[in-house]
Amino acid sequence: MNISQSLPPAFTRSVSRVFHHFRDAWLAVALLLGVVVGLQGFTWGTYNCLNLDRMALNNVVAKQRPLLHPGSFFKPPFYTYMNHFLSRVTAQTVASNLFWIPKGERFDLYLNLRLALARFWNLVIFGGCVVIVYGLARRFFGVTAARVAALLVATSAGFIPYQVYLTTDLAVVFVMLASFACAAAVSQNPTMGWSIAAGILAGLAGATKYNGLAVAAALPLAHLLASRGNPLLACLKRPAAWVCGLAVPVGFLLGNPYSLWDFASFKSDFLYNYKVTPVHGGEI
C-alpha cells in the first residue's frame, strides 16, 4: 500500500502545497538572502559574550539536579532542550569519537562545534519563518504579496541579530508562526488534526518564551471563523474545538515538563519573573 494513500487527504494536500511553494524562484532568492545575511556573524565571538540570556546551551544534565531539569524557570526551557539534543549532544558525540586528538584540543573542538551547530539551527529556524510567512501570504493574499512578504522578512534588519545571538526570540517567533499557520488552516477546515497541531504548537510557544502563549488567542477565533450559523454554539458542539484548547497545556508540558514535576519551583520563579521583570524593564 502506498504510504501517501494512508495519510489524511488534507495533510497530503498541505504537504504537496508546501513543496510546490519551493518551486517559486522568489522564495528561493529570499531564503538565500536570509542565509547569506545571517552567515555574516557565524564565527563572531564566543557563546558567553554574545548570548545574553544564556538559554541556548544551558546545562540540563547537572549531577545535582534531576535529568533535564533546567535549574530555574525564570525563562521556559524548550529552546534549551532543542539545542541540548541538536547541538550539545551532537558536538559531544563527534568530539568524543576523535580519540586520536589530544583531550584539550577535543574540548576546544566541542565548544566551537556546539556553537556552530546552535547557530546553524538558528538559520534553519529563520528559513522556516520565511517559508511560513510566504505560505500564509500566498494562501490569503496571492503570490505577489507572498513574494514581497518573504523578501521583507528575509532581509529585515530586526531579524539579523537573532540569527547570531542565540536567544529564544527567533525560536518563539517560529513556533508562534507555525501555530498561527495551523490556526489559519483550522479557520478554513476545522479538522481534529489541524486543531491538535495548532494547540500543541501554541503550548510549545509558551514553553519557549512565556509571552509566546499569546498566540493561543488565535485558536478559538479560528474555530469561530470556521463555523456557520451560530458560531459559538457550533464551536461548543465541535469536539475538535475542545481538543484544540486542551492541546495547549499538553504542548506546554511537553516543552516544559518540570513545570508540573517541580511545580513549587516553577510557581516561585514564574511569579518572581512576572513581578520583577516589568519593574526593571521600565514598564511600570
Side-chain angles (χ1 to χ4, degrees):
M1 181 178 179
N2 194 329
I3 296 179
S4 62
Q5 295 177 351
S6 63
L7 296 173
F11 178 80
T12 304
R13 288 194 299 270
S14 298
V15 173
S16 300
R17 190 182 298 115
V18 169
F19 281 101
H20 177 73
H21 291 344
F22 281 105
R23 299 178 183 178
D24 191 339
W26 286 96
L27 176 59
V29 169
L31 289 171
L32 180 61
L33 286 173
V35 170
V36 169
V37 170
L39 281 175
Q40 65 176 323
F42 200 80
T43 59
W44 289 355
T46 61
Y47 171 69
N48 287 329
C49 69
L50 283 179
N51 304 284
L52 303 180
D53 67 2
R54 303 289 192 274
M55 289 300 297
L57 300 174
N58 184 34
N59 187 13
V60 292
V61 290
K63 294 181 179 180
Q64 66 272 24
R65 300 196 303 264
L67 182 64
L68 299 181
H69 193 293
S72 67
F73 298 94
F74 298 114
K75 296 183 180 180
F78 181 63
Y79 183 59
T80 302
Y81 291 151
M82 185 191 76
N83 275 288
H84 174 76
F85 291 106
L86 295 179
S87 303
R88 181 188 290 271
V89 173
T90 304
Q92 285 178 337
T93 303
V94 172
S96 62
N97 285 325
L98 300 176
F99 55 87
W100 61 88
I101 299 177
K103 187 175 181 179
E105 294 181 15
R106 270 187 289 160
F107 185 69
D108 289 339
L109 175 64
Y110 156 70
L111 294 177
N112 292 329
L113 182 58
R114 182 186 69 169
L115 184 60
L117 284 172
R119 285 179 174 163
F120 167 77
W121 290 116
N122 249 23
L123 287 175
V124 173
I125 290 172
F126 178 68
C129 292
V130 175
V131 172
I132 293 174
V133 168
Y134 174 90
L136 284 170
R138 180 163 181 164
R139 186 169 188 172
F140 292 99
F141 303 105
V143 65
T144 302
R147 290 169 175 173
V148 172
L151 288 169
L152 286 175
V153 172
T155 57
S156 173
F159 280 109
I160 294 174
Y162 294 154
Q163 299 178 63
V164 179
Y165 291 79
L166 300 178
T167 63
T168 57
D169 299 284
L170 192 59
V172 73
V173 168
F174 171 74
V175 185
M176 290 178 73
L177 280 172
S179 178
F180 186 79
C182 291
V186 168
S187 69
Q188 296 185 330
N189 184 22
T191 61
M192 185 67 73
W194 284 123
S195 298
I196 293 174
I200 292 289
L201 287 167
L204 287 175
T208 306
K209 198 170 184 178
Y210 290 127
N211 56 12
L213 197 60
V215 74
L219 308 186
L221 180 60
H223 276 282
L224 287 171
L225 291 174
S227 304
R228 296 179 180 178
N230 188 328
L232 182 59
L233 185 61
C235 285
L236 293 175
K237 292 181 177 180
R238 185 182 302 132
W242 290 96
V243 173
C244 184
L246 293 173
V248 176
V250 172
F252 182 80
L253 290 175
L254 286 174
N256 189 8
Y258 281 99
S259 62
L260 180 63
W261 296 340
D262 190 6
F263 181 74
S265 297
F266 168 72
K267 179 182 177 181
S268 175
D269 291 348
F270 178 82
L271 290 177
Y272 177 85
N273 183 67
Y274 173 75
K275 293 178 180 179
V276 172
T277 300
V279 176
H280 288 284
E283 297 171 21
I284 60 176

